[in-house]
Amino acid sequence: MDRSRPTAIPRAIVVVLERDLVDKAKSGDSVTVTGVVMCRWRPVVAGERPDIAVVIRANSISVLSDQASQIAITEELREEFRAFWAARANTPMRARDEIVASMCPQVYGLFYIKLAVLLVLISGVARSDESGLRVRGEAHMLLVGDPGTAKSQFLKYAAKLVPRSVLTTGIGSTSAGLTVTAVKDGPEWQLEAGALVLADRGLCCIDEFGSIREAEKSTILEAMEQQSISVAKAGIVCKLNARCSVLAAMNPKGKYDVHSSLAVNTALSTPLLSRFDLVLVLLDTHDEQWDAHVSSFLLGSRDGEEAAPGSDGEQDVWGFDRLQAYLAFVKTAFQPETTPASEQVLTRYYQLQRQRDTLNAARTTIRLLESLIRLAQAHARLMFRNKVLLADAVIAVVLMESTMLSASILGAIDTLHTTFPEDSDLFYAELESLVLRRLDMGHLGGGSQVV
């Protein structure tokens, strides 16, 4: 199937694999096939005219599952990224916010949302032991918000940023469309990959997630945690890879009640909610000052435009191609490892949530600690380094706090009405001090921002 033109209807052609080429690729893999074009007769049916089909007889087949291979990252670009961070070694948070401001620039504000989406696109490091047990590195995020809070904009922009991505809506999606379906081709059955399999090693965006029927929601549980889909259809038993991040958006069930748990407000089951690393809530509360800023930004007024922190114009906001190349580069170039300070902060926060959270049981399983580690690793990659420092752990805790509306140690964080700080490094220093004080770990503060 030719998916090189995303706006056109995909075209397909039959490829014949023989001898050692059989089972070289699975459903959903991106492949490059070299072969000979030839004609063959279709199966003869009594009473119908015989027909000829064009097929490719393959000589070789190579699987292109790595998304970095789909983006050309030159040595020039690598040097440009290194020089960017070297020049801003004393102000790392300001440099990070320049990158974050380049994410979905047509949307005003929403600092925490833009940062969270970038971390999901970068994701953490997958781990596997000698027995073959694999702990996923891909992060999942759910945006729950009122209509008109730019949820779909983030999904569309994220799908454009990732070379291998699939964007679908929940209303028209079935379990077969999301996972895999069996299709009868003549006398035999064959498998056709669904959205999660097609997005292997990429991103699957699901809009209107709440509109998916209950039976369909249960089918994606395995794909989100085990990163694979087990198939037993029409006599075909196999396992397909679905190593993708899931970025979903939905409206709350009726008016969002801040006093109720996420499971009640979203009408999603506890097993499904616990698989999302982040569940960010966007509540459209009436704020006259915020409405004025957004209105002037949309109307193009200079007073309402938002530039990158510390920039004197738009030259410091990264272009789309540069941001896409940067995300692909840091995802393959860095494999961050945790440090003792970061491990202490993440473990302490996890223990606090396990002790005090009563309303939000869906979010405080052991997956909470794994999510914190993934977010801290993703932030370390975003900051262009191979170690997870205290700063990365603090940012992971702050982002997780925005999902803990009922048991937050920092108080309620309004993720919708957040703008970029004027002095990013000073803002982070205050944030770090507050987080460590609430965790009773003030002795760890200071000296964590060195890149």
Side-chain angles (χ1 to χ4, degrees), residues 15 17 34 52 63 68 72 107 111 136 150 155 158 265 279 293 324 326 356 364 385 387 394 435 450:
V15 178
L17 303 181
T34 305
I52 292 178
V63 181
V107 177
F111 169 58
R136 65 181 170 93
L155 262 63
N265 282 297
V279 182
H293 281 305
Q324 187 182 47
Y326 182 78
R356 70 172 59 181
T364 51
R385 58 183 174 225
K387 284 190 177 180
V394 169
V435 169
V450 180

Side-chain angles (χ1 to χ4, degrees), residues 146-164:
D146 296 325
T149 49
K151 302 186 299 295
S152 299
Q153 292 286 339
F154 281 111
L155 262 63
K156 289 178 181 176
Y157 199 85
K160 283 168 57 182
L161 269 179
V162 179
R164 186 161 187 178

Side-chain angles (χ1 to χ4, degrees), residues 10-303:
R11 296 173 296 176
I13 189 170
V14 175
V15 178
V16 180
L17 303 181
E18 298 174 328
R19 298 184 180 85
D20 59 324
L21 296 181
V22 176
D23 289 336
K24 258 290 188 69
K26 295 181 179 179
S27 295
D29 285 341
S30 285
V31 296
T32 300
V33 177
T34 305
V36 180
V37 178
M38 55 187 295
C39 297
R40 72 170 181 180
W41 290 99
R42 291 187 185 275
V44 179
V45 180
E48 293 187 9
R49 189 176 67 178
D51 197 7
I52 292 178
V54 177
V55 300
I56 296 178
R57 186 176 182 180
N59 293 330
S60 71
I61 180 170
S62 57
V63 181
L64 308 172
S65 56
D66 190 5
Q67 61 171 276
S69 62
Q70 302 176 35
I71 300 178
I73 303 174
T74 61
E75 190 59 37
E76 239 180 85
L77 268 176
R78 293 189 182 94
E79 286 301 322
E80 188 180 327
F81 296 147
R82 294 188 188 103
F84 172 82
W85 283 101
R88 293 161 176 79
N90 296 324
T91 56
M93 292 298 167
R94 184 183 295 268
R96 180 206 65 182
D97 287 354
E98 282 186 33
I99 302 173
V100 176
S102 309
M103 173 71 196
C104 210
Q106 70 269 25
V107 177
Y108 177 78
L110 275 70
F111 169 58
Y112 283 128
I113 306 294
K114 292 181 178 182
L115 176 60
V117 172
L118 274 183
L119 295 189
V120 169
L121 297 185
I122 295 173
S123 291
V125 181
R127 307 191 309 276
S128 55
D129 56 16
E130 296 175 356
S131 64
L133 181 66
R134 183 179 185 271
V135 178
R136 65 181 170 93
E138 290 78 13
H140 307 312
M141 187 169 81
L142 175 65
L143 293 174
V144 182
D146 296 325
T149 49
K151 302 186 299 295
S152 299
Q153 292 286 339
F154 281 111
L155 262 63
K156 289 178 181 176
Y157 199 85
K160 283 168 57 182
L161 269 179
V162 179
R164 186 161 187 178
S165 60
V166 177
L167 178 61
T168 182
T169 55
I171 296 176
S173 298
T174 62
S175 58
L178 286 173
T179 55
V180 66
T181 183
V183 179
K184 192 165 187 179
D185 182 19
E188 298 180 355
W189 289 83
Q190 66 180 26
L191 296 178
E192 286 194 1
L196 291 167
V197 180
L198 287 173
D200 182 38
R201 293 206 181 272
L203 176 72
C204 182
C205 298
I206 307 175
D207 206 354
E208 305 294 342
F209 191 72
S211 303
I212 301 178
R213 293 190 293 272
E214 203 61 41
E216 275 72 52
K217 288 176 186 173
S218 61
T219 62
I220 66 175
L221 293 178
E222 181 193 2
M224 290 183 69
E225 190 59 41
Q226 276 72 44
Q227 301 281 277
S228 62
I229 292 173
S230 301
V231 182
K233 296 183 178 182
I236 302 173
V237 180
C238 65
K239 184 175 283 190
L240 301 176
N241 290 324
R243 297 159 295 185
C244 63
S245 296
V246 174
L247 184 57
M250 65 176 291
N251 296 325
K253 191 86 172 175
K255 184 172 175 57
Y256 195 93
D257 184 5
V258 293
H259 302 293
S260 299
S261 67
L262 273 170
V264 173
N265 282 297
T266 58
L268 297 178
S269 63
T270 299
L272 187 56
L273 266 181
S274 68
R275 280 166 166 79
F276 285 104
D277 297 77
L278 286 173
V279 182
L280 298 181
V281 180
L282 302 170
L283 299 180
D284 190 13
T285 54
H286 300 293
D287 185 331
E288 188 174 341
Q289 186 179 6
W290 176 261
D291 292 342
H293 281 305
V294 173
S295 301
S296 56
F297 178 79
L298 291 176
L299 293 172
S301 169
R302 291 296 301 178
D303 296 333

